[in-house]
mmCIF file of all heavy atoms in Angstrom:
data_model
loop_
_atom_site.group_PDB
_atom_site.id
_atom_site.type_symbol
_atom_site.label_atom_id
_atom_site.label_comp_id
_atom_site.label_asym_id
_atom_site.label_seq_id
_atom_site.Cartn_x
_atom_site.Cartn_y
_atom_site.Cartn_z
ATOM 1 N N MET A 28 213.915 43.099 148.029
ATOM 2 C CA MET A 28 214.983 43.531 148.929
ATOM 3 C C MET A 28 215.693 42.309 149.521
ATOM 4 O O MET A 28 215.047 41.396 150.003
ATOM 5 C CB MET A 28 214.370 44.361 150.052
ATOM 6 C CG MET A 28 215.368 45.363 150.608
ATOM 7 S SD MET A 28 214.710 46.149 152.077
ATOM 8 C CE MET A 28 213.981 47.591 151.328
ATOM 9 N N ALA A 29 216.974 42.361 149.494
ATOM 10 C CA ALA A 29 217.724 41.212 149.977
ATOM 11 C C ALA A 29 217.808 41.211 151.502
ATOM 12 O O ALA A 29 217.812 42.251 152.131
ATOM 13 C CB ALA A 29 219.123 41.230 149.387
ATOM 14 N N ASP A 30 217.901 40.060 152.047
ATOM 15 C CA ASP A 30 218.023 39.944 153.487
ATOM 16 C C ASP A 30 219.480 40.133 153.858
ATOM 17 O O ASP A 30 220.254 39.200 153.942
ATOM 18 C CB ASP A 30 217.530 38.564 153.922
ATOM 19 C CG ASP A 30 217.454 38.470 155.442
ATOM 20 O OD1 ASP A 30 217.614 39.490 156.115
ATOM 21 O OD2 ASP A 30 217.242 37.371 155.936
ATOM 22 N N PHE A 31 219.860 41.378 154.035
ATOM 23 C CA PHE A 31 221.279 41.718 154.170
ATOM 24 C C PHE A 31 221.712 41.824 155.621
ATOM 25 O O PHE A 31 222.829 41.481 155.974
ATOM 26 C CB PHE A 31 221.530 43.033 153.451
ATOM 27 C CG PHE A 31 222.980 43.316 153.222
ATOM 28 C CD1 PHE A 31 223.672 42.644 152.232
ATOM 29 C CD2 PHE A 31 223.651 44.258 153.998
ATOM 30 C CE1 PHE A 31 225.014 42.900 152.009
ATOM 31 C CE2 PHE A 31 224.983 44.518 153.779
ATOM 32 C CZ PHE A 31 225.668 43.848 152.795
ATOM 33 N N ARG A 32 220.838 42.309 156.471
ATOM 34 C CA ARG A 32 221.261 42.536 157.854
ATOM 35 C C ARG A 32 221.084 41.273 158.685
ATOM 36 O O ARG A 32 220.001 40.906 159.038
ATOM 37 C CB ARG A 32 220.510 43.709 158.470
ATOM 38 C CG ARG A 32 219.017 43.559 158.440
ATOM 39 C CD ARG A 32 218.384 44.573 159.370
ATOM 40 N NE ARG A 32 218.438 45.937 158.834
ATOM 41 C CZ ARG A 32 218.213 47.005 159.557
ATOM 42 N NH1 ARG A 32 217.945 46.900 160.830
ATOM 43 N NH2 ARG A 32 218.233 48.188 159.012
ATOM 44 N N SER A 33 222.173 40.647 159.000
ATOM 45 C CA SER A 33 222.093 39.457 159.815
ATOM 46 C C SER A 33 222.909 39.654 161.093
ATOM 47 O O SER A 33 222.454 40.298 162.016
ATOM 48 C CB SER A 33 222.584 38.251 159.023
ATOM 49 O OG SER A 33 223.822 38.543 158.420
ATOM 50 N N GLU A 34 224.111 39.157 161.109
ATOM 51 C CA GLU A 34 224.926 39.295 162.306
ATOM 52 C C GLU A 34 226.056 40.284 162.097
ATOM 53 O O GLU A 34 227.051 40.270 162.782
ATOM 54 C CB GLU A 34 225.492 37.931 162.701
ATOM 55 C CG GLU A 34 224.403 36.980 163.130
ATOM 56 C CD GLU A 34 224.974 35.608 163.379
ATOM 57 O OE1 GLU A 34 226.123 35.534 163.834
ATOM 58 O OE2 GLU A 34 224.294 34.619 163.093
ATOM 59 N N ARG A 35 225.893 41.122 161.118
ATOM 60 C CA ARG A 35 226.917 42.089 160.797
ATOM 61 C C ARG A 35 226.807 43.287 161.737
ATOM 62 O O ARG A 35 225.718 43.694 162.102
ATOM 63 C CB ARG A 35 226.676 42.547 159.356
ATOM 64 C CG ARG A 35 227.845 43.187 158.710
ATOM 65 C CD ARG A 35 227.457 43.454 157.266
ATOM 66 N NE ARG A 35 227.418 42.204 156.490
ATOM 67 C CZ ARG A 35 228.301 41.903 155.558
ATOM 68 N NH1 ARG A 35 229.254 42.744 155.276
ATOM 69 N NH2 ARG A 35 228.215 40.783 154.902
ATOM 70 N N THR A 36 227.918 43.867 162.114
ATOM 71 C CA THR A 36 227.878 45.060 162.958
ATOM 72 C C THR A 36 227.523 46.263 162.095
ATOM 73 O O THR A 36 228.198 46.556 161.126
ATOM 74 C CB THR A 36 229.244 45.301 163.615
ATOM 75 O OG1 THR A 36 229.612 44.135 164.329
ATOM 76 C CG2 THR A 36 229.176 46.472 164.577
ATOM 77 N N MET A 37 226.459 46.927 162.483
ATOM 78 C CA MET A 37 226.020 48.075 161.701
ATOM 79 C C MET A 37 226.300 49.363 162.465
ATOM 80 O O MET A 37 226.172 49.420 163.685
ATOM 81 C CB MET A 37 224.525 47.958 161.409
ATOM 82 C CG MET A 37 224.160 46.691 160.669
ATOM 83 S SD MET A 37 224.945 46.548 159.051
ATOM 84 C CE MET A 37 223.924 47.657 158.088
ATOM 85 N N HIS A 38 226.680 50.385 161.735
ATOM 86 C CA HIS A 38 226.964 51.676 162.349
ATOM 87 C C HIS A 38 225.981 52.703 161.827
ATOM 88 O O HIS A 38 225.810 52.849 160.627
ATOM 89 C CB HIS A 38 228.393 52.113 161.999
ATOM 90 C CG HIS A 38 229.434 51.125 162.421
ATOM 91 N ND1 HIS A 38 230.068 51.204 163.639
ATOM 92 C CD2 HIS A 38 229.921 50.028 161.806
ATOM 93 C CE1 HIS A 38 230.915 50.192 163.734
ATOM 94 N NE2 HIS A 38 230.843 49.465 162.645
ATOM 95 N N LYS A 39 225.383 53.411 162.756
ATOM 96 C CA LYS A 39 224.422 54.438 162.349
ATOM 97 C C LYS A 39 225.153 55.680 161.881
ATOM 98 O O LYS A 39 226.091 56.142 162.505
ATOM 99 C CB LYS A 39 223.506 54.795 163.522
ATOM 100 C CG LYS A 39 222.364 53.828 163.639
ATOM 101 C CD LYS A 39 221.215 54.439 164.400
ATOM 102 C CE LYS A 39 220.038 53.480 164.383
ATOM 103 N NZ LYS A 39 218.983 53.896 165.295
ATOM 104 N N THR A 40 224.700 56.214 160.782
ATOM 105 C CA THR A 40 225.296 57.421 160.243
ATOM 106 C C THR A 40 224.267 58.125 159.372
ATOM 107 O O THR A 40 223.152 57.654 159.224
ATOM 108 C CB THR A 40 226.552 57.073 159.417
ATOM 109 O OG1 THR A 40 227.179 58.272 159.013
ATOM 110 C CG2 THR A 40 226.196 56.251 158.194
ATOM 111 N N THR A 41 224.647 59.244 158.820
ATOM 112 C CA THR A 41 223.753 59.960 157.924
ATOM 113 C C THR A 41 224.269 59.837 156.503
ATOM 114 O O THR A 41 225.429 60.128 156.228
ATOM 115 C CB THR A 41 223.679 61.456 158.316
ATOM 116 O OG1 THR A 41 223.282 61.554 159.675
ATOM 117 C CG2 THR A 41 222.681 62.184 157.437
ATOM 118 N N CYS A 42 223.421 59.420 155.638
ATOM 119 C CA CYS A 42 223.804 59.230 154.244
ATOM 120 C C CYS A 42 224.117 60.566 153.582
ATOM 121 O O CYS A 42 223.378 61.527 153.750
ATOM 122 C CB CYS A 42 222.669 58.514 153.514
ATOM 123 S SG CYS A 42 222.950 58.375 151.750
ATOM 124 N N SER A 43 225.193 60.629 152.829
ATOM 125 C CA SER A 43 225.568 61.861 152.145
ATOM 126 C C SER A 43 224.737 62.059 150.887
ATOM 127 O O SER A 43 224.739 63.129 150.296
ATOM 128 C CB SER A 43 227.051 61.819 151.761
ATOM 129 O OG SER A 43 227.845 61.790 152.926
ATOM 130 N N GLY A 44 224.048 61.036 150.489
ATOM 131 C CA GLY A 44 223.228 61.131 149.282
ATOM 132 C C GLY A 44 221.838 61.631 149.596
ATOM 133 O O GLY A 44 221.441 62.712 149.158
ATOM 134 N N CYS A 45 221.100 60.890 150.378
ATOM 135 C CA CYS A 45 219.704 61.239 150.657
ATOM 136 C C CYS A 45 219.545 61.938 151.996
ATOM 137 O O CYS A 45 218.464 62.351 152.357
ATOM 138 C CB CYS A 45 218.841 59.987 150.578
ATOM 139 S SG CYS A 45 219.331 58.673 151.714
ATOM 140 N N LYS A 46 220.636 62.082 152.737
ATOM 141 C CA LYS A 46 220.623 62.764 154.032
ATOM 142 C C LYS A 46 219.732 62.066 155.059
ATOM 143 O O LYS A 46 219.324 62.671 156.034
ATOM 144 C CB LYS A 46 220.165 64.224 153.869
ATOM 145 C CG LYS A 46 220.968 64.990 152.845
ATOM 146 C CD LYS A 46 222.421 65.094 153.259
ATOM 147 C CE LYS A 46 223.185 65.935 152.227
ATOM 148 N NZ LYS A 46 224.631 65.905 152.464
ATOM 149 N N GLU A 47 219.467 60.838 154.822
ATOM 150 C CA GLU A 47 218.643 60.089 155.759
ATOM 151 C C GLU A 47 219.543 59.310 156.710
ATOM 152 O O GLU A 47 220.663 58.936 156.350
ATOM 153 C CB GLU A 47 217.759 59.095 154.997
ATOM 154 C CG GLU A 47 216.770 59.754 154.075
ATOM 155 C CD GLU A 47 215.550 60.244 154.825
ATOM 156 O OE1 GLU A 47 215.274 59.738 155.927
ATOM 157 O OE2 GLU A 47 214.877 61.137 154.296
ATOM 158 N N GLU A 48 219.026 59.061 157.897
ATOM 159 C CA GLU A 48 219.801 58.239 158.820
ATOM 160 C C GLU A 48 219.792 56.818 158.299
ATOM 161 O O GLU A 48 218.760 56.306 157.874
ATOM 162 C CB GLU A 48 219.180 58.300 160.209
ATOM 163 C CG GLU A 48 220.055 57.604 161.230
ATOM 164 C CD GLU A 48 219.473 57.695 162.630
ATOM 165 O OE1 GLU A 48 218.566 56.935 162.947
ATOM 166 O OE2 GLU A 48 219.947 58.548 163.404
ATOM 167 N N CYS A 49 220.948 56.220 158.309
ATOM 168 C CA CYS A 49 221.031 54.864 157.787
ATOM 169 C C CYS A 49 222.090 54.095 158.559
ATOM 170 O O CYS A 49 222.778 54.641 159.417
ATOM 171 C CB CYS A 49 221.382 54.897 156.297
ATOM 172 S SG CYS A 49 222.971 55.657 155.970
ATOM 173 N N GLU A 50 222.199 52.843 158.254
ATOM 174 C CA GLU A 50 223.210 52.014 158.891
ATOM 175 C C GLU A 50 224.096 51.423 157.820
ATOM 176 O O GLU A 50 223.616 50.986 156.785
ATOM 177 C CB GLU A 50 222.534 50.901 159.685
ATOM 178 C CG GLU A 50 221.777 51.430 160.883
ATOM 179 C CD GLU A 50 221.149 50.302 161.675
ATOM 180 O OE1 GLU A 50 220.871 49.250 161.084
ATOM 181 O OE2 GLU A 50 220.958 50.483 162.883
ATOM 182 N N VAL A 51 225.372 51.445 158.108
ATOM 183 C CA VAL A 51 226.314 50.895 157.152
ATOM 184 C C VAL A 51 227.114 49.783 157.817
ATOM 185 O O VAL A 51 227.365 49.836 159.018
ATOM 186 C CB VAL A 51 227.261 51.988 156.612
ATOM 187 C CG1 VAL A 51 226.511 52.969 155.730
ATOM 188 C CG2 VAL A 51 227.956 52.715 157.748
ATOM 189 N N PRO A 52 227.518 48.800 157.045
ATOM 190 C CA PRO A 52 228.234 47.647 157.607
ATOM 191 C C PRO A 52 229.723 47.904 157.818
ATOM 192 O O PRO A 52 230.501 46.983 157.952
ATOM 193 C CB PRO A 52 228.005 46.557 156.552
ATOM 194 C CG PRO A 52 227.836 47.302 155.288
ATOM 195 C CD PRO A 52 227.198 48.642 155.646
ATOM 196 N N PHE A 53 230.090 49.187 157.848
ATOM 197 C CA PHE A 53 231.500 49.515 158.103
ATOM 198 C C PHE A 53 231.533 50.754 158.987
ATOM 199 O O PHE A 53 230.538 51.456 159.112
ATOM 200 C CB PHE A 53 232.242 49.771 156.800
ATOM 201 C CG PHE A 53 231.567 50.816 155.940
ATOM 202 C CD1 PHE A 53 231.850 52.155 156.113
ATOM 203 C CD2 PHE A 53 230.643 50.432 154.967
ATOM 204 C CE1 PHE A 53 231.220 53.113 155.324
ATOM 205 C CE2 PHE A 53 230.013 51.382 154.180
ATOM 206 C CZ PHE A 53 230.298 52.725 154.354
ATOM 207 N N LYS A 54 232.671 51.029 159.585
ATOM 208 C CA LYS A 54 232.763 52.188 160.459
ATOM 209 C C LYS A 54 232.885 53.464 159.639
ATOM 210 O O LYS A 54 233.830 53.623 158.868
ATOM 211 C CB LYS A 54 233.993 52.045 161.363
ATOM 212 C CG LYS A 54 233.954 52.994 162.545
ATOM 213 C CD LYS A 54 234.908 52.506 163.624
ATOM 214 C CE LYS A 54 234.639 53.257 164.923
ATOM 215 N NZ LYS A 54 235.620 54.206 165.293
ATOM 216 N N PRO A 55 231.931 54.364 159.784
ATOM 217 C CA PRO A 55 231.973 55.612 159.020
ATOM 218 C C PRO A 55 233.165 56.462 159.426
ATOM 219 O O PRO A 55 233.487 56.575 160.599
ATOM 220 C CB PRO A 55 230.657 56.309 159.400
ATOM 221 C CG PRO A 55 229.801 55.265 160.022
ATOM 222 C CD PRO A 55 230.753 54.274 160.631
ATOM 223 N N THR A 56 233.830 57.047 158.455
ATOM 224 C CA THR A 56 234.971 57.911 158.728
ATOM 225 C C THR A 56 234.509 59.355 158.703
ATOM 226 O O THR A 56 233.886 59.788 157.742
ATOM 227 C CB THR A 56 236.061 57.706 157.664
ATOM 228 O OG1 THR A 56 236.358 56.317 157.576
ATOM 229 C CG2 THR A 56 237.318 58.473 158.011
ATOM 230 N N GLU A 57 234.820 60.089 159.760
ATOM 231 C CA GLU A 57 234.398 61.486 159.813
ATOM 232 C C GLU A 57 235.016 62.286 158.688
ATOM 233 O O GLU A 57 236.186 62.132 158.382
ATOM 234 C CB GLU A 57 234.807 62.091 161.159
ATOM 235 C CG GLU A 57 233.992 61.505 162.280
ATOM 236 C CD GLU A 57 233.546 62.592 163.263
ATOM 237 O OE1 GLU A 57 233.493 63.765 162.891
ATOM 238 O OE2 GLU A 57 233.255 62.235 164.398
ATOM 239 N N GLY A 58 234.220 63.158 158.089
ATOM 240 C CA GLY A 58 234.712 63.997 157.018
ATOM 241 C C GLY A 58 234.629 63.346 155.662
ATOM 242 O O GLY A 58 234.924 63.965 154.648
ATOM 243 N N ARG A 59 234.212 62.076 155.649
ATOM 244 C CA ARG A 59 234.112 61.398 154.367
ATOM 245 C C ARG A 59 232.657 61.079 154.074
ATOM 246 O O ARG A 59 231.863 60.869 154.984
ATOM 247 C CB ARG A 59 234.926 60.109 154.372
ATOM 248 C CG ARG A 59 236.377 60.378 154.700
ATOM 249 C CD ARG A 59 237.247 59.245 154.234
ATOM 250 N NE ARG A 59 237.266 59.129 152.779
ATOM 251 C CZ ARG A 59 238.001 58.253 152.115
ATOM 252 N NH1 ARG A 59 238.741 57.401 152.761
ATOM 253 N NH2 ARG A 59 237.981 58.198 150.809
ATOM 254 N N ASP A 60 232.347 61.057 152.811
ATOM 255 C CA ASP A 60 230.974 60.762 152.428
ATOM 256 C C ASP A 60 230.631 59.313 152.726
ATOM 257 O O ASP A 60 231.418 58.418 152.466
ATOM 258 C CB ASP A 60 230.787 61.012 150.923
ATOM 259 C CG ASP A 60 230.734 62.504 150.612
ATOM 260 O OD1 ASP A 60 230.636 63.299 151.560
ATOM 261 O OD2 ASP A 60 230.795 62.851 149.432
ATOM 262 N N VAL A 61 229.464 59.158 153.283
ATOM 263 C CA VAL A 61 228.970 57.813 153.556
ATOM 264 C C VAL A 61 227.612 57.681 152.895
ATOM 265 O O VAL A 61 226.779 58.581 152.985
ATOM 266 C CB VAL A 61 228.841 57.581 155.078
ATOM 267 C CG1 VAL A 61 228.278 56.198 155.362
ATOM 268 C CG2 VAL A 61 230.195 57.735 155.756
ATOM 269 N N PHE A 62 227.427 56.601 152.211
ATOM 270 C CA PHE A 62 226.170 56.391 151.510
ATOM 271 C C PHE A 62 225.462 55.150 152.026
ATOM 272 O O PHE A 62 226.105 54.150 152.342
ATOM 273 C CB PHE A 62 226.413 56.239 150.007
ATOM 274 C CG PHE A 62 227.017 57.473 149.384
ATOM 275 C CD1 PHE A 62 228.370 57.529 149.133
ATOM 276 C CD2 PHE A 62 226.212 58.554 149.072
ATOM 277 C CE1 PHE A 62 228.932 58.667 148.558
ATOM 278 C CE2 PHE A 62 226.768 59.693 148.500
ATOM 279 C CZ PHE A 62 228.126 59.755 148.238
ATOM 280 N N CYS A 63 224.150 55.264 152.074
ATOM 281 C CA CYS A 63 223.380 54.084 152.420
ATOM 282 C C CYS A 63 223.476 53.100 151.251
ATOM 283 O O CYS A 63 223.942 53.449 150.168
ATOM 284 C CB CYS A 63 221.926 54.468 152.696
ATOM 285 S SG CYS A 63 221.053 55.166 151.291
ATOM 286 N N ARG A 64 223.023 51.914 151.478
ATOM 287 C CA ARG A 64 223.152 50.894 150.434
ATOM 288 C C ARG A 64 222.468 51.342 149.150
ATOM 289 O O ARG A 64 222.942 51.089 148.056
ATOM 290 C CB ARG A 64 222.529 49.594 150.911
ATOM 291 C CG ARG A 64 223.380 48.904 151.952
ATOM 292 C CD ARG A 64 222.921 47.476 152.122
ATOM 293 N NE ARG A 64 223.206 46.688 150.932
ATOM 294 C CZ ARG A 64 222.405 45.783 150.404
ATOM 295 N NH1 ARG A 64 221.257 45.539 150.947
ATOM 296 N NH2 ARG A 64 222.735 45.122 149.333
ATOM 297 N N ASP A 65 221.335 52.002 149.330
ATOM 298 C CA ASP A 65 220.568 52.424 148.172
ATOM 299 C C ASP A 65 221.358 53.417 147.326
ATOM 300 O O ASP A 65 221.529 53.241 146.133
ATOM 301 C CB ASP A 65 219.266 53.058 148.672
ATOM 302 C CG ASP A 65 218.214 53.071 147.599
ATOM 303 O OD1 ASP A 65 218.147 52.085 146.839
ATOM 304 O OD2 ASP A 65 217.485 54.065 147.511
ATOM 305 N N CYS A 66 221.844 54.484 147.991
ATOM 306 C CA CYS A 66 222.605 55.504 147.283
ATOM 307 C C CYS A 66 223.928 54.935 146.788
ATOM 308 O O CYS A 66 224.394 55.271 145.712
ATOM 309 C CB CYS A 66 222.855 56.702 148.193
ATOM 310 S SG CYS A 66 221.367 57.630 148.584
ATOM 311 N N PHE A 67 224.525 54.078 147.575
ATOM 312 C CA PHE A 67 225.813 53.504 147.197
ATOM 313 C C PHE A 67 225.710 52.763 145.870
ATOM 314 O O PHE A 67 226.543 52.898 144.981
ATOM 315 C CB PHE A 67 226.291 52.550 148.286
ATOM 316 C CG PHE A 67 227.705 52.078 148.064
ATOM 317 C CD1 PHE A 67 228.779 52.893 148.376
ATOM 318 C CD2 PHE A 67 227.963 50.807 147.548
ATOM 319 C CE1 PHE A 67 230.086 52.460 148.166
ATOM 320 C CE2 PHE A 67 229.262 50.369 147.334
ATOM 321 C CZ PHE A 67 230.316 51.195 147.653
ATOM 322 N N SER A 68 224.642 52.033 145.707
ATOM 323 C CA SER A 68 224.476 51.272 144.469
ATOM 324 C C SER A 68 224.227 52.190 143.294
ATOM 325 O O SER A 68 224.581 51.892 142.160
ATOM 326 C CB SER A 68 223.335 50.273 144.609
ATOM 327 O OG SER A 68 222.131 50.951 144.881
ATOM 328 N N LYS A 69 223.658 53.368 143.582
ATOM 329 C CA LYS A 69 223.400 54.325 142.509
ATOM 330 C C LYS A 69 224.667 55.093 142.139
ATOM 331 O O LYS A 69 224.819 55.560 141.028
ATOM 332 C CB LYS A 69 222.337 55.328 142.950
ATOM 333 C CG LYS A 69 220.954 54.731 143.023
ATOM 334 C CD LYS A 69 219.996 55.794 143.526
ATOM 335 C CE LYS A 69 218.667 55.149 143.915
ATOM 336 N NZ LYS A 69 217.845 56.101 144.686
ATOM 337 N N GLN A 70 225.561 55.267 143.159
ATOM 338 C CA GLN A 70 226.733 56.094 142.956
ATOM 339 C C GLN A 70 227.930 55.300 142.461
ATOM 340 O O GLN A 70 229.018 55.840 142.333
ATOM 341 C CB GLN A 70 227.140 56.749 144.285
ATOM 342 C CG GLN A 70 226.042 57.572 144.896
ATOM 343 C CD GLN A 70 226.329 59.051 144.781
ATOM 344 O OE1 GLN A 70 227.467 59.442 144.611
ATOM 345 N NE2 GLN A 70 225.313 59.871 144.847
ATOM 346 N N ARG A 71 227.751 54.067 142.218
ATOM 347 C CA ARG A 71 228.898 53.229 141.811
ATOM 348 C C ARG A 71 229.641 53.834 140.668
ATOM 349 O O ARG A 71 229.082 54.224 139.665
ATOM 350 C CB ARG A 71 228.402 51.842 141.401
ATOM 351 C CG ARG A 71 228.388 50.913 142.578
ATOM 352 C CD ARG A 71 227.819 49.586 142.174
ATOM 353 N NE ARG A 71 228.771 48.813 141.413
ATOM 354 C CZ ARG A 71 228.442 47.730 140.720
ATOM 355 N NH1 ARG A 71 227.219 47.333 140.693
ATOM 356 N NH2 ARG A 71 229.339 47.060 140.062
ATOM 357 N N ARG A 72 230.969 53.930 140.832
ATOM 358 C CA ARG A 72 231.766 54.481 139.761
ATOM 359 C C ARG A 72 232.745 53.453 139.280
ATOM 360 O O ARG A 72 233.475 52.932 140.099
ATOM 361 C CB ARG A 72 232.555 55.681 140.279
ATOM 362 C CG ARG A 72 231.664 56.810 140.666
ATOM 363 C CD ARG A 72 232.526 57.976 141.113
ATOM 364 N NE ARG A 72 231.797 59.230 140.953
ATOM 365 C CZ ARG A 72 232.419 60.415 141.006
ATOM 366 N NH1 ARG A 72 233.691 60.485 141.169
ATOM 367 N NH2 ARG A 72 231.731 61.510 140.878
HETATM 368 ZN ZN1 ZN B 121 221.053 57.398 150.870
#
């Protein structure tokens, strides 16, 4: 696992993939799917 969380602002949200609470390095937009890093890497299109 990479050491990703340093001084970045993290926002708590619920992942649309695994439905788990997670933190993302960007501001989640309401009504839009947000994925944790794990799901995001799997969902890459
Ligand atoms: Zn997820």
Side-chain angles (χ1 to χ4, degrees):
M28 207 188 267
D30 188 9
F31 194 75
R32 57 166 73 195
S33 49
E34 294 174 34
R35 199 175 287 250
T36 304
M37 302 299 282
H38 302 268
K39 277 202 175 170
T40 186
T41 304
C42 174
S43 295
C45 58
K46 306 297 183 189
E47 296 279 338
E48 187 178 79
C49 62
E50 292 182 334
V51 291
F53 54 87
K54 196 161 193 252
T56 307
E57 290 223 22
R59 303 200 66 177
D60 286 349
V61 178
F62 298 100
C63 63
R64 287 195 68 220
D65 200 38
C66 291
F67 189 78
S68 60
K69 288 178 193 167
Q70 303 252 339
R71 269 177 76 194
R72 294 182 156 194

